[in-house]
Amino acid sequence: MSISGGVGHFDLDQMMEQDMEVHHREVSAPVTALNTMADSLPGLGIVAAVLGVVITMGALGGPPEEIGHRWPQLWWYIFGHFVVLRACSDP
């Protein structure tokens, strides 16, 4: 383009800079989406842990067997919460 004289040097420089900016934005879009999702995972783990506690506390008025069936569920919720927190924490 520059050799044929169709575009000036300054215009060519601006077009190349704009092209690099667009490329940078397009390349960083998947990383931004993944980072946004990773930032929301600790909140999801907290909700899961609280849900496990609420479900178990709802069974406290019932027979002991029902509470015994709820404990593994509660521990899986809490374990999931800690796994999510560990996966999203900085090394």
Side-chain angles (χ1 to χ4, degrees):
M1 287 174 136
S2 181
I3 296 173
S4 66
V7 178
H9 296 289
F10 182 71
D11 293 332
L12 184 62
D13 182 51
Q14 284 184 334
M15 287 187 333
M16 288 175 62
E17 292 225 8
Q18 185 178 8
D19 189 41
M20 287 190 297
E21 289 174 10
V22 169
H23 176 71
H24 177 69
R25 253 191 330 263
E26 289 176 353
V27 168
S28 65
V31 174
T32 303
L34 185 63
N35 193 20
T36 302
M37 186 185 74
D39 287 344
S40 69
L41 286 178
L44 184 63
I46 291 169
V47 169
V50 169
L51 180 64
V53 170
V54 168
I55 289 172
T56 304
M57 295 303 259
L60 285 180
E65 295 83 23
E66 186 178 343
I67 296 172
H69 289 296
R70 302 287 183 181
W71 275 106
Q73 186 179 18
L74 170 67
W75 286 112
W76 277 113
Y77 281 123
I78 293 174
F79 176 73
H81 167 68
F82 286 119
V83 166
V84 167
L85 283 180
R86 180 64 185 135
C88 293
S89 65
D90 292 331

